[in-house]
Amino acid sequence: MEIDGNALKELYQINPEINKAKRICIFGTGMNAAYIYEKMVRQGIRVDFFADKKPQSEYKIQYLNLPVLDEDELPGTDCIVIIASSFWEEIANRLINKKIFNLFIAPVETNKKIEIIKDEKYLLSIGDIILRKDIIYICCPCGLGDTLYVAALAKEYKYIYSEVKKVCLIIKEKHMGLVSLFKGVDEIIISDRIVAALHVFSTSTETWNRNNYIYGHFTSDWMEKYIMGIYTGNMISSYKKYIMHLPEECQLEHPQFQKSCDVMTQINKNTIIMMPYAVSSDTLPECFWSEIAEKLLILGYQLYTNTKDDTEKVIPGTKRLSETVDIMAQLCERCFAVISVRSGMCDILGLTNTTLLVINTEKVHSEFWNIESATDNNNIFNFDFYEDKCLNYLEKNIMMTLNGIGVENIGN
C-alpha cells in the first residue's frame, strides 16, 4: 500500500481528495494535529474527530472540542485519516493492518536546527517550510495581547497595502484559539520552535522587515528609545505605526466567535469570573481574592476562577474554568463582570462587550498598556496597585465599582 506522503506537503494546499471525504479524522493530539486542524478549518473543511493510540488510558477523550477516538474505534471505510505525527510510518502500518487504507501524511517538524534563509528582499525558507513571495508572514514572538493586536490589524493591513492578498501569522501553540477569531488572518503556522527561531534571527540580525516578512513586536531600537522617552503614546497607536506601519485611523477588527461549549449555559448575568493569574503581572495575595469572593458569595453571585489548568489554585468558594481563549472570551461576555490582574486576556476582553475590572500592578500597565486605548467599550474599569499598595483600599474600590454597575440588584 503506497501512502500519500505529499497530501499536505504544500503548506497552503490541501489535497482535493480530502475536500471530498465524507468524514475526516486527524490522527494525533499534539502541535502538528492542532496546526492541521486550524489549517483545514480556515479552508472550510470540516474535521469530524481526532484519534490517538489508547487516548482513554491517558484521560484524553476530547481535543479542540472534538472527540478523540481510540485507534481501534476508527471506521475502516468512508473516512480519511490524516496522520499528524512524526511517528507516521509506525502509525500508518498499524492502521493498514486494521484495514484502514485512506491515509494521508501531514508534514511534521523535526528536531533538527531550524535554518532561516533570506535574500535582500525576502525570507525564502524556515527549516523545511518554503515561504511564498506573495504572502506577508508576521512572526508573533511575545504575549497573547501582542498576538491579538497583530491579528486584529491584519484586515486593515491588507486594505492599506492592497497588493498584499494574504497574511499568515506565525504563532505560539498556546495562542492557537485566538487567531481563528479574526477574518483578516488568512493562514497560520503554529510552532513554538519556529517562533523562537524567528525571534532569535530577527533580534540578532536586526531583520525586522522583508517584502514578505514582519517581526510582529517592537524592535530593540524602539524599546531603547521608548525607555529614553523619545517615543510616546499608547500601545495601539504604537502597534499601528511601528509594527504594522499603518496610519492612526486604521481600526481594530473585533473577534468573530464561532465555537460554543456546554459550560456556556451555566454562565449568566449572575456570574463573576475572577482572573488572578497573569504572566506579565505580579500575583496578588490569596487573601485578597478570598475576601472579595466571600463578599460576592454573600451577595448571591456564582463565582468562577479562570486557570490555565489544575496547577493553578482555585479561589475558595469558586468553581474552576479552564477553557481555550476563544471560549473564555465568550463566557466573559455572558457574565456580569470579570475581575482580573492585567494580562493578555484583558486585551481580548477589551474588544468584546465584557464588563472588565483590570488591576494594574505596574505603572506601565495604566499608561502605555492601558486597555482603554484599544477599545470603545465603556465598561472597562482600571485600578492601579503599584504605588501606595493597600489591599483594603483596592478591595473597597472594586466593590464600590460593582455596586455602581448593579450589584445591589443581585437576588432581587
Side-chain angles (χ1 to χ4, degrees), residues 54-73:
K54 306 295 181 186
Q56 281 79 358
S57 64
E58 301 172 4
Y59 304 99
K60 194 166 190 178
I61 58 175
Q62 195 174 60
Y63 186 59
L64 298 178
N65 295 317
L66 290 177
V68 180
L69 301 186
D70 185 307
E71 66 177 50
D72 291 334
E73 300 173 323

Side-chain angles (χ1 to χ4, degrees), residues 148-164:
L148 166 79
Y149 293 123
V150 170
L153 287 169
K155 186 176 181 180
E156 288 281 72
Y157 185 88
K158 289 188 292 186
Y159 176 77
I160 296 297
Y161 298 97
S162 57
E163 70 277 10
V164 175

Side-chain angles (χ1 to χ4, degrees), residues 59-222:
Y59 304 99
K60 194 166 190 178
I61 58 175
Q62 195 174 60
Y63 186 59
L64 298 178
N65 295 317
L66 290 177
V68 180
L69 301 186
D70 185 307
E71 66 177 50
D72 291 334
E73 300 173 323
L74 282 173
T77 59
D78 297 329
C79 178
I80 274 180
V81 179
I82 302 171
I83 303 175
S85 169
S86 55
F87 302 103
W88 65 268
E89 290 182 90
E90 174 190 335
I91 295 168
N93 287 330
R94 291 204 312 265
L95 296 182
I96 289 171
N97 289 335
K98 299 176 189 295
K99 309 298 182 186
I100 299 173
F101 300 116
N102 297 326
L103 305 180
F104 293 84
I105 311 302
V108 296
E109 289 188 89
T110 64
N111 291 324
K112 67 182 180 181
K113 181 180 178 181
I114 296 176
E115 182 181 11
I116 298 171
I117 299 175
K118 65 179 177 68
D119 63 18
E120 291 183 357
K121 294 184 177 181
Y122 296 93
L123 283 196
L124 303 178
S125 66
I126 308 171
D128 295 331
I129 300 175
I130 306 300
L131 302 185
R132 287 168 50 175
K133 295 183 177 181
D134 58 343
I135 290 178
I136 292 292
Y137 298 88
I138 307 178
C139 175
C140 300
C142 294
L144 187 67
D146 303 286
T147 301
L148 166 79
Y149 293 123
V150 170
L153 287 169
K155 186 176 181 180
E156 288 281 72
Y157 185 88
K158 289 188 292 186
Y159 176 77
I160 296 297
Y161 298 97
S162 57
E163 70 277 10
V164 175
K165 302 305 179 186
K166 286 188 176 182
V167 169
C168 173
L169 263 54
I170 304 174
I171 64 171
K172 298 177 180 179
E173 296 160 34
K174 61 184 179 182
H175 296 176
M176 179 183 62
L178 166 68
V179 177
S180 61
L181 302 179
F182 297 92
K183 293 183 177 180
V185 179
D186 303 288
E187 306 287 351
I188 52 174
I189 296 173
I190 307 168
S191 169
D192 287 351
R193 291 180 66 241
I194 291 178
V195 168
L198 283 170
H199 170 66
V200 172
F201 165 76
S202 283
T203 54
S204 61
T205 65
E206 296 193 343
T207 304
W208 313 116
N209 291 278
R210 281 293 185 270
N211 285 2
N212 67 336
Y213 172 71
I214 295 174
Y215 177 74
H217 194 56
F218 300 107
T219 67
S220 53
D221 177 65
W222 184 94

Side-chain angles (χ1 to χ4, degrees), residues 221-272:
D221 177 65
W222 184 94
M223 291 289 192
E224 291 175 6
K225 291 179 179 178
Y226 176 74
I227 293 171
M228 294 169 61
I230 296 174
Y231 287 152
T232 59
N234 59 55
M235 61 178 175
I236 296 305
S237 61
S238 297
Y239 271 100
K240 292 175 183 177
K241 183 175 182 179
Y242 299 111
I243 295 179
M244 301 295 283
H245 308 289
L246 295 171
E248 180 64 31
E249 60 268 20
C250 286
Q251 299 297 308
L252 295 167
E253 181 187 357
H254 284 230
Q256 312 278 319
F257 297 117
Q258 299 169 355
K259 297 179 182 177
S260 62
C261 68
D262 294 339
V263 75
M264 283 191 178
T265 59
Q266 304 169 34
I267 306 297
N268 53 43
K269 291 303 179 183
N270 194 44
T271 302
I272 288 180

Side-chain angles (χ1 to χ4, degrees), residues 237-408:
S237 61
S238 297
Y239 271 100
K240 292 175 183 177
K241 183 175 182 179
Y242 299 111
I243 295 179
M244 301 295 283
H245 308 289
L246 295 171
E248 180 64 31
E249 60 268 20
C250 286
Q251 299 297 308
L252 295 167
E253 181 187 357
H254 284 230
Q256 312 278 319
F257 297 117
Q258 299 169 355
K259 297 179 182 177
S260 62
C261 68
D262 294 339
V263 75
M264 283 191 178
T265 59
Q266 304 169 34
I267 306 297
N268 53 43
K269 291 303 179 183
N270 194 44
T271 302
I272 288 180
I273 298 174
M274 308 175 86
M275 297 185 171
Y277 304 107
V279 175
S280 56
S281 294
D282 294 335
T283 302
L284 298 177
E286 186 176 334
C287 62
F288 165 77
W289 296 102
S290 298
E291 290 176 13
I292 283 190
E294 184 177 349
K295 292 180 179 180
L296 293 174
L297 287 168
I298 292 173
L299 289 167
Y301 278 106
Q302 62 172 348
L303 304 180
Y304 287 84
T305 302
N306 174 227
T307 65
K308 64 179 180 181
D309 51 40
D310 57 11
T311 63
E312 294 180 337
K313 293 177 64 175
V314 173
I315 300 166
T318 74
K319 300 176 183 178
R320 184 186 301 277
L321 265 183
S322 299
E323 299 290 340
T324 58
V325 170
D326 50 338
I327 295 296
M328 273 308 304
Q330 293 179 81
L331 296 176
C332 291
E333 268 199 323
R334 293 174 61 89
C335 75
F336 176 75
V338 173
I339 307 172
S340 177
V341 292
R342 180 65 173 89
S343 68
M345 195 67 202
C346 294
D347 293 279
I348 299 170
L349 298 181
L351 296 181
T352 69
N353 293 320
T354 302
T355 296
L356 178 62
L357 285 68
V358 183
I359 302 170
N360 299 307
T361 58
E362 295 181 33
K363 189 175 183 179
V364 70
H365 292 165
S366 59
E367 294 180 349
F368 184 79
W369 296 105
N370 196 316
I371 300 294
E372 293 181 34
S373 70
T375 180
D376 54 5
N377 182 351
N378 294 320
N379 293 319
I380 306 292
F381 303 89
N382 280 286
F383 303 86
D384 294 337
F385 188 69
Y386 50 80
E387 290 180 347
D388 299 326
K389 295 186 177 182
C390 177
L391 286 173
N392 289 337
Y393 183 72
L394 176 62
E395 178 186 323
K396 179 181 177 181
N397 278 349
I398 287 175
M399 293 304 298
M400 286 178 59
T401 300
L402 290 172
N403 276 319
I405 55 177
V407 71
E408 72 277 1

